[in-house]
């Protein structure tokens, strides 16, 4: 997932960018012309990417939050005020509103 979008100093939106459809198509094309010895690996890769491609954005945002929290060494309760503070430390351009919304995703979608 990519970082933040917006025009002000503080950002209120986190944009989820997924290229899984491009990857799926590339894997399908590779599988079409693959020799037999490569087919099993490509089929497995296609299954893995296919499973992630349809994922809901909530869990993706939750994973992003956990990655950012881990990056600043936060190991406490994701639902705490300290987690919001750590998230904003990890992403200084993140507004309080956006941090709270992201925290809700992380709480709603535990790892």
């Amino acid at each position: 997932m990519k970082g933040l979008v917006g025009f002000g100093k503080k950002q209120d939106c986190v944009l989820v960018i997924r290229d899984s459809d491009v990857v799926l198509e590339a894997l399908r094309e590779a599988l079409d012309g693959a020799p037999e010895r490569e087919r099993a690996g490509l089929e497995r890769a296609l299954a893995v990417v296919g499973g992630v491609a349809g994922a809901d954005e909530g869990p993706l945002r939750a994973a992003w939050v956990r990655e950012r929290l881990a990056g600043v060494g936060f190991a406490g309760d994701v639902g705490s005020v300290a987690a919001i503070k750590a998230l904003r430390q990890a992403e200084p351009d993140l507004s309080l509103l956006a941090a709270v919304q992201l925290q809700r995703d992380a709480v709603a979608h535990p790892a």
Side-chain angles (χ1 to χ4, degrees):
M1 177 161 46
K2 183 68 176 138
L4 309 170
V5 297
F7 301 104
K9 181 177 181 324
K10 294 291 182 182
Q11 309 300 322
D12 289 331
C13 176
V14 174
L15 176 64
V16 176
I17 298 176
R18 291 189 269 183
D19 292 333
S20 51
D21 55 339
V22 174
V23 174
L24 278 171
E25 185 58 33
L27 285 171
R28 285 186 188 113
E29 288 176 12
L31 184 59
D32 286 343
E36 190 59 38
R37 69 181 193 285
E38 294 177 6
R39 293 188 69 75
L42 287 168
E43 288 169 351
R44 176 68 181 132
L46 193 57
V48 170
V49 173
V52 175
D56 182 38
E57 289 183 8
L60 292 174
R61 284 190 297 266
W64 183 86
V65 168
R66 285 189 192 83
E67 288 172 11
R68 295 310 177 275
L69 291 176
V72 292
F74 181 81
D77 178 15
V78 175
S80 68
V81 172
I84 292 174
K85 182 178 179 183
L87 182 57
R88 293 185 75 203
Q89 176 186 355
E91 293 291 335
D93 289 337
L94 198 62
S95 73
L96 179 59
L97 176 62
V100 169
Q101 290 170 335
L102 288 165
Q103 178 193 43
R104 289 179 183 157
D105 280 326
V107 169
H109 303 283

